[in-house]
Amino acid sequence: MSQTIFYILASLSIISALFVVFSKIPIYSVLWLIVCFFTIAGHYVMLNAQFMAIVHIIVYAGAIMVLFLFTVMLLNLNKESEPHKRTYLKFAAILSAGVLFLTLLAAFKSTNLTPYQLPEVNEVGYIQNVGIKLFTDYLLPFEISSILFLSAMIGAVVLAKKEK
Amino acid sequence: MGILSFKIILILLIFLVSLGIAAYSTYGERKVAAFLQDRLGPDRAGPFGLLQPIADGVKMLMKEEIIPAVSDKILFILGPCIFMMTSLMTSAVIPWGTPVHIGNSVFNLQVADINIGVLYIFGVVSLGVYGIMIGGWASNNKFGLLGAVRASSQMISYELAMGMAIIAILLMSNSLSLNEIVAQQKGMNWNVFYQPLGFLIFLVCAFAECNRTPFDLPECETELVGGYHTEYSSMKLGLYLFAEYINMFISSAVISCLYFGGYNFPGLDYLSTVLSPNLVSLISVGALFTKIFFFIFFYMWIRWTIPRFRYDQLMKLGWQILLPLAILNVLLTGGVLTFLK
């Protein structure tokens, strides 16, 4: 049962991710990306991590993608207004994408593929356990990432103030 | 009766009740407006105009369906559907009353008691903006787009303060399950007495999230014609208007559950010792709905009392007053809980 759900979810995520790349209209890309985020949240639920799933939806689908949609709608991107890119930029893009592909290939080559197995019923994903882990074992990375967020916030405020 | 069939019946019941209350809220709104402005209000269809919502519904369905030729057809249709769906989804985690007994089994009057109920509500609320944005953009109309942009920036701004107000509640209750939060407010031990500031912030934010006056700038007629639903006609417009009333109903239910004890009322313990459990359950559902109806009335009362904000005032209130106040509230709650307990 859960294996079937996993395969349906996984194929949905891949299909929606492909639509993100191949959509001609930027708004459609953004909307497909939201669908993709929902399928990933579904994977979190399958792993018994409801907290991660709902935070994923609140942060990505509820906040970040709204801003994306906002920007894309206001810019009203289409073929005519697309900026012409220089040739060397295109070459650089192809080169870096190729390098990334090679890295991924190398990473996959060394893994041995085993059939998908559902994790045993664990309660790591529950909010109490996530909180305890974060504030004991992973306290330093947690604090460092919060400082990163703070600096990003201050940076945004400074940038917004400059225009006046 | 199995748990599954009970849940399906409960879902259907909640769905029908939501629609019914939303329909009669439109009637109630016009009656309240008439009362506040010393008029009569609708009184032609049926006794006291009670059939007015049905007449309105039939009118909406019979009107000509116009989809603008320059619009994005799929998204144009999808917009109102998403808006309606997200407004109905929140009701899944609300505990409607004390458990009922059927045969030998006990059933909770709640569709899903997930351990992150509060976050679920928050997630669904944050998705509500997509219906407006997609509809506003797909109509390919400047007024529609402006309304959509206003709605989304307003919702994002007020979500922050709302989340902070909820965090203060979570600090007190130590739980994210709505069922647990309601159960802790037994008798008159309501959260509003401990969190008056948090309640005020949450209430203001709920008004903003529902796009109700004084925060109904996304559909400000004087500037934007109709706002995000300018191009909509017939039942698609009806869905947008209707979903607003469902939002109002559900947010009243959430406010009652978070701050006013949900189905709790003084004397519930005593009643459950003398009456049969199902009767107590019915009374507790009645108590919750009394609170909900009060808040729906409150929404209408405010609408016909306070004029609309200006847009810069709205942003200023959200970011410079409500958010710092909400953070202060979290700090105060945390401090009191740490040092006084």
Side-chain angles (χ1 to χ4, degrees):
Chain A
M1 175 69 181
S2 44
Q3 190 131 358
T4 332
I5 297 177
F6 170 78
Y7 282 121
I8 294 171
L9 262 180
S11 46
L12 276 180
S13 350
I14 292 172
I15 291 170
S16 53
L18 283 176
F19 270 116
V20 175
V21 184
F22 290 117
S23 288
K24 285 267 184 339
I25 307 167
I27 292 271
Y28 277 58
S29 291
V30 175
L31 293 176
W32 276 114
L33 192 56
I34 296 165
V35 175
C36 186
F37 282 145
F38 268 95
T39 57
I40 290 172
H43 286 296
Y44 282 129
V45 174
M46 298 277 296
L47 294 170
N48 215 2
Q50 291 101 327
F51 176 66
M52 280 303 293
I54 204 79
V55 166
H56 186 79
I57 286 180
I58 293 175
V59 173
Y60 284 96
I64 293 177
M65 291 322 285
V66 172
L67 290 178
F68 263 60
L69 204 59
F70 202 84
T71 325
V72 174
M73 277 178 182
L74 281 182
L75 290 177
N76 212 2
L77 298 170
N78 45 35
K79 263 272 177 267
E80 293 94 66
S81 62
E82 198 176 283
H84 185 73
K85 294 204 179 63
R86 303 237 174 84
T87 324
Y88 74 88
L89 269 179
K90 284 181 185 167
F91 268 114
I94 291 171
L95 201 69
S96 50
V99 170
L100 182 67
F101 184 65
L102 261 181
T103 323
L104 282 179
L105 263 188
F108 277 125
K109 203 173 157 261
S110 55
T111 55
N112 49 340
L113 291 169
T114 46
Y116 170 77
Q117 268 183 336
L118 262 190
E120 289 158 37
V121 178
N122 57 19
E123 300 194 337
V124 173
Y126 284 13
I127 183 164
Q128 289 92 339
N129 305 331
V130 172
I132 288 167
K133 276 270 176 222
L134 271 184
F135 284 101
T136 52
D137 295 357
Y138 300 96
L139 185 60
L140 187 67
F142 181 68
E143 294 293 339
I144 288 175
S145 57
S146 68
I147 289 172
L148 198 67
F149 275 120
L150 187 67
S151 59
M153 260 166 68
I154 294 170
V157 171
V158 168
L159 281 177
K161 279 261 173 198
K162 226 178 202 172
E163 285 191 6
K164 277 189 183 167
Chain B
M1 192 188 321
I3 184 103
L4 197 66
S5 44
F6 176 78
K7 293 282 177 191
I8 290 172
I9 292 172
L10 187 65
I11 291 171
L12 272 178
L13 206 66
I14 293 173
F15 178 65
L16 290 177
V17 167
S18 303
L19 293 186
I21 286 184
Y24 273 88
S25 297
T26 61
Y27 167 78
E29 174 125 72
R30 294 164 73 177
K31 275 288 183 195
V32 170
F35 167 67
L36 291 175
Q37 295 172 344
D38 207 11
R39 294 185 281 116
L40 277 178
D43 67 341
R44 295 289 119 175
F48 308 107
L50 273 173
L51 296 178
Q52 190 66 39
I54 297 163
D56 284 344
V58 170
K59 188 197 92 173
M60 279 288 185
L61 281 170
M62 293 304 189
K63 288 246 171 172
E64 190 189 351
E65 181 93 59
I66 299 169
I67 298 181
V70 286
S71 69
D72 189 312
K73 298 218 167 37
I74 302 169
L75 293 185
F76 190 79
I77 296 170
L78 205 63
C81 302
I82 293 179
F83 197 50
M84 192 70 179
M85 194 181 78
T86 48
S87 63
L88 283 168
M89 263 164 71
T90 323
S91 61
V93 291
I94 292 171
W96 298 98
T98 51
V100 289
H101 296 250
I102 300 170
N104 287 325
S105 30
V106 182
F107 295 108
N108 270 331
L109 277 182
Q110 185 183 22
V111 176
D113 185 14
I114 44 180
N115 60 0
I116 41 160
V118 176
L119 285 178
Y120 171 84
I121 291 179
F122 203 62
V124 175
V125 165
S126 66
L127 294 178
V129 70
Y130 282 116
I132 295 179
M133 281 192 91
I134 290 172
W137 181 80
S139 17
N140 205 352
N141 175 312
K142 294 246 172 3
F143 293 119
L145 183 64
L146 270 177
V149 167
R150 272 189 182 187
S152 47
S153 54
Q154 170 181 331
M155 279 182 153
I156 292 175
S157 312
Y158 279 78
E159 253 164 41
L160 284 173
M162 195 182 212
M164 285 291 170
I166 293 178
I167 283 177
I169 289 277
L170 299 184
L171 280 177
M172 284 178 52
S173 64
N174 267 326
S175 170
L176 281 162
S177 153
L178 212 56
N179 203 12
E180 181 69 33
I181 291 175
V182 170
Q184 283 176 5
Q185 306 176 51
K186 224 171 194 168
M188 281 293 273
N189 195 21
W190 296 350
N191 278 334
V192 66
F193 301 123
Y194 306 101
Q195 289 285 338
L197 183 62
F199 165 65
L200 210 65
I201 294 164
F202 191 90
L203 190 71
V204 174
C205 292
F207 271 83
E209 294 285 328
C210 289
N211 288 328
R212 293 284 300 184
T213 326
F215 303 105
D216 61 344
L217 288 138
E219 40 189 309
C220 179
E221 298 91 349
T222 45
E223 301 157 17
L224 293 179
V225 190
Y228 57 87
H229 52 58
T230 304
E231 291 286 348
Y232 280 89
S233 57
S234 182
M235 204 52 209
K236 291 202 200 61
L237 174 69
L239 277 183
Y240 268 126
L241 302 180
F242 209 61
E244 189 188 311
Y245 284 95
I246 294 180
N247 272 339
M248 210 162 85
F249 165 56
I250 300 290
S251 71
S252 299
V254 172
I255 293 173
S256 313
C257 285
L258 285 180
Y259 290 96
F260 285 85
Y263 55 75
N264 282 307
F265 57 92
L268 180 66
D269 281 340
Y270 171 71
L271 279 183
S272 48
T273 53
V274 288
L275 295 175
S276 79
N278 283 348
L279 199 60
V280 174
S281 187
L282 203 66
I283 296 173
S284 68
V285 172
L288 177 61
F289 272 87
T290 314
K291 290 167 191 172
I292 292 174
F293 288 142
F294 171 76
F295 279 106
I296 293 178
F297 171 71
F298 191 71
Y299 268 104
M300 292 166 182
W301 187 7
I302 293 287
R303 171 162 180 188
W304 299 100
T305 309
I306 297 178
R308 194 178 277 146
F309 278 118
R310 227 170 43 220
Y311 198 68
D312 60 316
Q313 291 172 330
L314 170 99
M315 282 295 151
K316 202 170 192 167
L317 178 71
W319 287 98
Q320 297 185 355
I321 300 173
L322 286 183
L323 187 60
L325 267 182
I327 294 175
L328 183 75
N329 189 38
V330 170
L331 280 179
L332 274 179
T333 314
V336 168
L337 284 177
T338 322
F339 294 114
L340 295 185
K341 275 191 180 170

